[in-house]
Amino acid sequence: MDYRTMGDIFKGLAASGSWGCFDEFNRLVPEVLSVCSVQYKCVTDAQKRKTYLPGRGLDYVDKEGVFHEGIKNYRFIAADGVEMPLEEGTSGFITMNPGYIGRAELPESLKALFRPITVMVPDRQLIMENMLMAEGFVTAKILAKKFAALYYLLEDMLSPQKHYDWGLRAIKSVLVVAGSLLRAEAGQDEADVLYRALRDFN
């Protein structure tokens, strides 16, 4: 993905008032990342300028009770010099996994435009329990505890190889298979159904 494509995406977000989430953003090459900071800064600067207008550029009622209409067709100049409309609510989000091979460090100018948040490791047992309930299992709490214990043990005891996958995608696949097996025939023992799904899938 080159800087022109990213510029078009930022302009589209601004013109439509949409949110954009860019997954694995630091997989872009450093040259593109540095241009992205300029492109997105044009959008954020335009948003700031709009907030300085009376009523932040939106419909508002002043102290005397007089209604004022918001500014229609507020426009800004994008990084490539094109005049674009700016709709209310435009925002951008990025996700990244720092420290991986093939990932670039974000430039400081780009870091300054985003507020960092840290994502914690998900509670797999709770996710399993909810997914089992969604698939129709009544004894979801007990089965989720056993399933989570099994996967934690396998992850700890087996050698780290690429064909082993103990992540959420693998868990979801097993539980979807278990749900279809459970619905295929009434009156089955739920534990047996889950064991069968684990055996067939792994």
Coordinates of all heavy atoms in Angstrom, one line a residue, residues 140-187:
A140 N -22.2 -25.2 30.1 CA -21.1 -24.4 29.5 C -20.0 -24.1 30.5 O -18.8 -24.2 30.1 CB -21.6 -23.2 28.8
K141 N -20.3 -23.8 31.7 CA -19.3 -23.3 32.7 C -18.3 -24.4 33.0 O -17.1 -24.2 33.0 CB -20.0 -22.9 34.0 CG -19.1 -22.1 34.9 CD -19.9 -21.5 36.1 CE -19.1 -20.5 36.9 NZ -19.0 -19.2 36.3
I142 N -18.8 -25.6 33.2 CA -17.9 -26.8 33.6 C -17.1 -27.2 32.4 O -15.9 -27.4 32.5 CB -18.8 -28.0 34.0 CG1 -19.6 -27.6 35.3 CG2 -18.0 -29.2 34.3 CD1 -20.8 -28.5 35.5
L143 N -17.7 -27.2 31.2 CA -17.0 -27.6 30.0 C -15.9 -26.6 29.6 O -14.9 -27.0 29.2 CB -18.0 -27.8 28.8 CG -19.0 -29.0 28.9 CD1 -19.9 -29.0 27.8 CD2 -18.2 -30.3 29.0
A144 N -16.2 -25.3 29.8 CA -15.3 -24.3 29.5 C -14.0 -24.4 30.4 O -12.9 -24.2 29.9 CB -15.9 -22.9 29.6
K145 N -14.3 -24.7 31.7 CA -13.2 -24.9 32.6 C -12.2 -26.0 32.2 O -11.0 -25.9 32.2 CB -13.7 -25.1 34.0 CG -12.7 -25.1 35.1 CD -13.3 -25.2 36.5 CE -12.3 -25.1 37.6 NZ -12.9 -25.1 38.9
K146 N -12.9 -27.1 31.8 CA -12.1 -28.3 31.3 C -11.3 -28.0 30.0 O -10.2 -28.4 29.8 CB -13.0 -29.5 31.1 CG -13.5 -30.1 32.4 CD -14.5 -31.2 32.2 CE -15.0 -31.8 33.4 NZ -16.0 -32.9 33.2
F147 N -12.0 -27.4 29.1 CA -11.5 -27.1 27.8 C -10.3 -26.1 27.9 O -9.2 -26.3 27.3 CB -12.6 -26.4 26.9 CG -12.2 -26.2 25.4 CD1 -11.0 -26.7 24.9 CD2 -13.1 -25.6 24.6 CE1 -10.7 -26.5 23.6 CE2 -12.8 -25.4 23.3 CZ -11.6 -25.8 22.8
A148 N -10.5 -25.1 28.7 CA -9.4 -24.1 29.0 C -8.2 -24.7 29.6 O -7.0 -24.5 29.2 CB -9.9 -22.9 29.8
A149 N -8.4 -25.6 30.6 CA -7.3 -26.3 31.3 C -6.6 -27.2 30.3 O -5.3 -27.2 30.3 CB -7.9 -27.2 32.4
L150 N -7.3 -27.9 29.4 CA -6.6 -28.7 28.4 C -5.7 -27.9 27.5 O -4.6 -28.2 27.3 CB -7.7 -29.4 27.6 CG -7.2 -30.2 26.4 CD1 -6.4 -31.4 26.8 CD2 -8.3 -30.6 25.5
Y151 N -6.3 -26.8 27.0 CA -5.5 -25.9 26.1 C -4.3 -25.3 26.7 O -3.2 -25.1 26.1 CB -6.4 -24.9 25.4 CG -6.9 -25.3 24.0 CD1 -7.3 -26.6 23.8 CD2 -6.9 -24.5 22.9 CE1 -7.7 -27.1 22.6 CE2 -7.3 -24.9 21.7 CZ -7.7 -26.2 21.5 OH -8.2 -26.6 20.3
Y152 N -4.5 -24.8 28.0 CA -3.3 -24.3 28.7 C -2.2 -25.3 28.9 O -1.0 -25.0 28.8 CB -3.8 -23.7 30.1 CG -4.5 -22.4 30.0 CD1 -5.7 -22.2 30.6 CD2 -3.9 -21.3 29.3 CE1 -6.4 -21.0 30.5 CE2 -4.6 -20.1 29.2 CZ -5.8 -19.9 29.8 OH -6.5 -18.7 29.8
L153 N -2.6 -26.6 29.3 CA -1.6 -27.6 29.5 C -0.9 -28.0 28.2 O 0.3 -28.1 28.1 CB -2.3 -28.9 30.0 CG -2.6 -28.9 31.5 CD1 -3.5 -30.1 31.9 CD2 -1.3 -29.0 32.3
L154 N -1.7 -28.1 27.1 CA -1.1 -28.4 25.8 C -0.1 -27.3 25.4 O 1.0 -27.6 24.9 CB -2.2 -28.5 24.7 CG -3.1 -29.8 24.9 CD1 -4.2 -29.7 23.9 CD2 -2.3 -31.1 24.7
E155 N -0.5 -26.1 25.6 CA 0.4 -24.9 25.2 C 1.7 -25.0 26.0 O 2.7 -24.7 25.5 CB -0.4 -23.6 25.5 CG 0.2 -22.4 24.8 CD -0.6 -21.2 25.0 OE1 -1.6 -21.2 25.8 OE2 -0.4 -20.2 24.3
D156 N 1.6 -25.3 27.3 CA 2.8 -25.3 28.2 C 3.7 -26.5 27.9 O 4.9 -26.4 28.0 CB 2.3 -25.3 29.6 CG 1.8 -23.9 30.1 OD1 2.0 -23.0 29.3 OD2 1.1 -23.9 31.1
M157 N 3.0 -27.7 27.7 CA 3.8 -28.9 27.7 C 4.3 -29.4 26.3 O 5.3 -30.0 26.2 CB 3.0 -30.1 28.3 CG 2.6 -29.8 29.7 SD 1.6 -31.1 30.5 CE 2.9 -32.3 30.8
L158 N 3.6 -29.0 25.2 CA 4.1 -29.4 23.9 C 5.1 -28.4 23.4 O 5.2 -27.3 23.8 CB 2.9 -29.4 22.9 CG 1.8 -30.5 23.2 CD1 0.7 -30.4 22.2 CD2 2.4 -31.9 23.1
S159 N 6.0 -28.9 22.5 CA 7.0 -28.1 22.0 C 6.5 -27.0 21.1 O 5.4 -27.2 20.4 CB 8.0 -29.0 21.2 OG 7.3 -29.6 20.1
P160 N 7.1 -25.9 21.1 CA 6.6 -24.8 20.2 C 6.8 -25.0 18.7 O 7.9 -24.9 18.3 CB 7.3 -23.5 20.7 CG 8.6 -24.1 21.3 CD 8.3 -25.5 21.8
Q161 N 5.8 -25.4 18.0 CA 5.9 -25.7 16.6 C 4.8 -24.9 15.9 O 3.7 -24.7 16.4 CB 5.8 -27.2 16.3 CG 7.0 -28.0 16.9 CD 6.9 -29.4 16.5 OE1 6.6 -29.8 15.4 NE2 7.1 -30.3 17.5
K162 N 5.0 -24.6 14.6 CA 4.1 -23.7 13.9 C 2.7 -24.4 13.7 O 1.7 -23.7 13.6 CB 4.7 -23.4 12.5 CG 5.8 -22.4 12.6 CD 6.3 -22.0 11.2 CE 7.4 -20.9 11.4 NZ 8.0 -20.5 10.1
H163 N 2.7 -25.7 13.5 CA 1.4 -26.4 13.3 C 0.5 -26.5 14.5 O -0.6 -26.9 14.4 CB 1.6 -27.7 12.6 CG 2.4 -28.7 13.4 ND1 3.8 -28.8 13.3 CD2 2.1 -29.6 14.3 CE1 4.2 -29.7 14.1 NE2 3.2 -30.2 14.8
Y164 N 1.1 -26.2 15.7 CA 0.2 -26.1 16.9 C -0.4 -24.7 17.0 O 0.3 -23.7 17.0 CB 1.1 -26.4 18.2 CG 1.6 -27.8 18.3 CD1 2.8 -28.0 18.9 CD2 0.8 -28.9 17.9 CE1 3.3 -29.3 19.0 CE2 1.3 -30.2 18.0 CZ 2.5 -30.4 18.6 OH 3.0 -31.6 18.7
D165 N -1.7 -24.7 17.2 CA -2.4 -23.4 17.3 C -3.4 -23.5 18.5 O -4.3 -24.2 18.4 CB -3.1 -23.1 16.0 CG -3.8 -21.7 16.1 OD1 -3.5 -20.9 17.0 OD2 -4.5 -21.4 15.1
W166 N -3.1 -22.7 19.5 CA -3.9 -22.7 20.7 C -4.6 -21.4 20.9 O -5.1 -21.0 21.9 CB -3.1 -23.0 22.0 CG -2.2 -24.2 21.8 CD1 -0.8 -24.1 21.8 CD2 -2.5 -25.5 21.5 NE1 -0.3 -25.4 21.6 CE2 -1.3 -26.3 21.4 CE3 -3.7 -26.2 21.4 CZ2 -1.3 -27.6 21.1 CZ3 -3.7 -27.6 21.1 CH2 -2.5 -28.3 21.0
G167 N -4.7 -20.6 19.8 CA -5.3 -19.3 19.9 C -6.8 -19.3 19.8 O -7.5 -20.3 19.7
L168 N -7.4 -18.1 19.8 CA -8.8 -17.9 19.8 C -9.5 -18.4 18.5 O -10.6 -18.9 18.5 CB -9.2 -16.4 20.0 CG -8.9 -15.9 21.4 CD1 -9.2 -14.4 21.5 CD2 -9.6 -16.6 22.5
R169 N -8.8 -18.3 17.4 CA -9.4 -18.8 16.1 C -9.6 -20.3 16.1 O -10.6 -20.8 15.7 CB -8.4 -18.4 14.9 CG -8.6 -16.9 14.5 CD -7.8 -16.7 13.2 NE -7.8 -15.3 12.9 CZ -6.8 -14.4 13.2 NH1 -5.8 -14.9 13.8 NH2 -6.9 -13.2 12.9
A170 N -8.5 -21.0 16.7 CA -8.7 -22.4 16.8 C -9.8 -22.8 17.8 O -10.5 -23.8 17.5 CB -7.3 -23.0 17.2
I171 N -9.8 -22.1 18.9 CA -10.9 -22.4 19.9 C -12.3 -22.2 19.3 O -13.2 -23.0 19.4 CB -10.7 -21.4 21.1 CG1 -9.5 -21.9 21.9 CG2 -11.9 -21.4 22.0 CD1 -9.0 -20.9 22.9
K172 N -12.4 -21.1 18.5 CA -13.7 -20.8 17.9 C -14.1 -21.9 16.9 O -15.2 -22.4 16.9 CB -13.7 -19.5 17.2 CG -15.0 -19.1 16.5 CD -15.0 -17.7 15.9 CE -16.3 -17.2 15.5 NZ -17.0 -17.9 14.4
S173 N -13.1 -22.4 16.1 CA -13.4 -23.5 15.2 C -13.9 -24.7 15.8 O -14.8 -25.4 15.4 CB -12.1 -23.7 14.3 OG -11.7 -22.6 13.7
V174 N -13.2 -25.1 16.9 CA -13.6 -26.3 17.7 C -15.0 -26.1 18.2 O -15.9 -27.1 18.1 CB -12.6 -26.6 18.9 CG1 -13.2 -27.7 19.8 CG2 -11.3 -26.9 18.3
L175 N -15.3 -25.0 18.8 CA -16.6 -24.8 19.4 C -17.8 -24.7 18.4 O -18.9 -25.1 18.6 CB -16.6 -23.5 20.3 CG -15.7 -23.6 21.5 CD1 -15.7 -22.3 22.2 CD2 -16.1 -24.7 22.4
V176 N -17.5 -24.2 17.2 CA -18.5 -24.2 16.1 C -18.8 -25.6 15.7 O -20.0 -26.0 15.5 CB -18.0 -23.3 14.9 CG1 -18.9 -23.5 13.7 CG2 -18.0 -21.8 15.3
V177 N -17.7 -26.4 15.6 CA -17.9 -27.8 15.2 C -18.7 -28.5 16.3 O -19.7 -29.3 16.0 CB -16.6 -28.5 15.0 CG1 -16.7 -30.1 14.9 CG2 -15.9 -28.0 13.8
A178 N -18.4 -28.3 17.6 CA -19.1 -28.9 18.7 C -20.6 -28.5 18.7 O -21.5 -29.3 18.9 CB -18.5 -28.5 20.0
G179 N -20.9 -27.2 18.4 CA -22.2 -26.8 18.3 C -23.0 -27.5 17.2 O -24.2 -27.9 17.4
S180 N -22.4 -27.7 16.1 CA -23.1 -28.3 15.0 C -23.3 -29.8 15.3 O -24.4 -30.4 15.0 CB -22.3 -28.2 13.6 OG -21.1 -28.7 13.8
L181 N -22.4 -30.4 16.0 CA -22.5 -31.8 16.4 C -23.7 -31.9 17.4 O -24.4 -32.9 17.4 CB -21.2 -32.4 17.0 CG -20.1 -32.6 16.1 CD1 -18.8 -33.0 16.9 CD2 -20.4 -33.8 15.1
L182 N -23.7 -31.0 18.4 CA -24.8 -31.0 19.4 C -26.2 -30.8 18.8 O -27.1 -31.5 19.2 CB -24.5 -29.9 20.4 CG -25.5 -29.8 21.6 CD1 -25.2 -31.0 22.6 CD2 -25.3 -28.5 22.3
R183 N -26.3 -30.0 17.8 CA -27.6 -29.7 17.2 C -28.0 -30.8 16.2 O -29.2 -31.0 15.8 CB -27.6 -28.4 16.4 CG -27.6 -27.2 17.4 CD -27.7 -25.9 16.7 NE -26.6 -25.6 15.8 CZ -25.4 -25.1 16.2 NH1 -25.3 -24.7 17.4 NH2 -24.5 -24.8 15.3
A184 N -27.0 -31.7 15.8 CA -27.3 -32.7 14.8 C -28.2 -33.8 15.4 O -29.0 -34.4 14.7 CB -26.0 -33.3 14.3
E185 N -28.1 -34.0 16.7 CA -28.9 -35.1 17.3 C -29.3 -34.7 18.7 O -28.4 -34.3 19.5 CB -28.1 -36.4 17.3 CG -28.9 -37.6 17.7 CD -28.0 -38.9 17.7 OE1 -27.0 -38.9 17.0 OE2 -28.4 -39.8 18.5
A186 N -30.6 -34.8 19.1 CA -31.0 -34.4 20.4 C -30.7 -35.5 21.4 O -30.5 -36.7 21.1 CB -32.6 -34.2 20.4
G187 N -30.5 -35.1 22.7 CA -30.3 -36.0 23.8 C -28.9 -36.5 24.0 O -28.7 -37.5 24.7

